[in-house]
Amino acid sequence: MRRDVFQAIADPTRRAIISLIAVNAMTPNAIADHFEATRQAVSKHLRILSECDLVTQEQKGREIYYSLQIEKMKEIDQWLAQYRKIWETRFNQLDQVLEQLKKTNPQK
Amino acid sequence: MRRDVFQAIADPTRRAIISLIAVNAMTPNAIADHFEATRQAVSKHLRILSECDLVTQEQKGREIYYSLQIEKMKEIDQWLAQYRKIWETRFNQLDQVLEQLKKTNPQK
DNA sequence: TATAAGTGCAACTATTTGGTTTCACAAGTT
DNA sequence: AACTTGTGAAACCAAATAGTTGCACTTATA
């Protein structure tokens, strides 16, 4: 059973859950109320998110509050960083091209 | 058949392919040589990557060169941006806490 | 023209996935 | 003590997925 961040965010429902609990911690029931999904389906998604440490839980009485582990999101950011470097480089190169065009072809 | 960027990057083999062709365009055979995967398996991954516009192809004679559509990667970056805002805010808040600690408890 | 190389695609298979239904259990409430 | 609420987990199911095998087509080469 593969369980990494990329697999976790692949599902749109899970991304929606992530978005929901990003600001405030929420209980499974409260989360389920925001979707057409059943409580049990949400529970399974939460388990998957837990297994890759994207969410943490805190028990309060008989309720369990789930909250986003924002640190884990940085992992995606780190993976993306190498590609960001590429598109920034390309942007700069394009910038140079435009600059060059300006010089060789000044205001008509 | 769901076909979006998040689902595409969920598979580790596809992330490896993305990484491979990020710098230089490559043919399916050349890509397959870098894995244990068969040429056909790579071909299927390339199709999936094509379907969500993560890669583009260019035919040269009987060879087809696949290259990464770096613009599409920005989509992930944009999705991540909202969470980046969160962790940067939290970082700043932590920063303020540390600053406050410094003031109330100056160099021992 | 015959052959080889590079490729996509369809059919098939085993595994994984997302979801539902049902049950169990713990924490409050009556 | 009996009931309700909030939850996780197991069993089951349909659909999707990753991979293999085999075939077809196109482009180059002998």
Side-chain angles (χ1 to χ4, degrees), chain B residues 27-29 39-40 43 47 57 62-64 66:
Chain B
T27 67
N29 266 323
R39 204 255 321 156
Q40 283 86 343
S43 190
R47 185 143 82 100
Q57 18 183 325
R62 64 183 165 189
E63 292 182 327
I64 299 177
Y66 284 85

Side-chain angles (χ1 to χ4, degrees), chain B residues 29-64:
Chain B
N29 266 323
I31 296 170
D33 284 345
H34 284 76
F35 302 101
E36 341 69 60
T38 61
R39 204 255 321 156
Q40 283 86 343
V42 169
S43 190
K44 278 188 83 171
H45 283 305
L46 284 173
R47 185 143 82 100
I48 290 168
L49 292 170
S50 290
E51 277 170 2
C52 67
D53 300 317
L54 259 172
V55 305
T56 49
Q57 18 183 325
E58 194 187 352
Q59 184 116 20
K60 279 190 180 174
R62 64 183 165 189
E63 292 182 327
I64 299 177

Side-chain angles (χ1 to χ4, degrees), chain B residues 84-106:
Chain B
R84 188 177 302 119
K85 205 155 59 183
I86 293 177
W87 77 61
E88 279 170 358
T89 305
R90 292 203 186 155
F91 178 77
N92 287 339
Q93 284 172 353
L94 177 64
D95 221 47
Q96 286 170 19
V97 169
L98 292 174
E99 204 57 34
Q100 198 60 30
L101 272 172
K102 230 189 237 169
K103 280 184 193 154
T104 56
N105 187 21

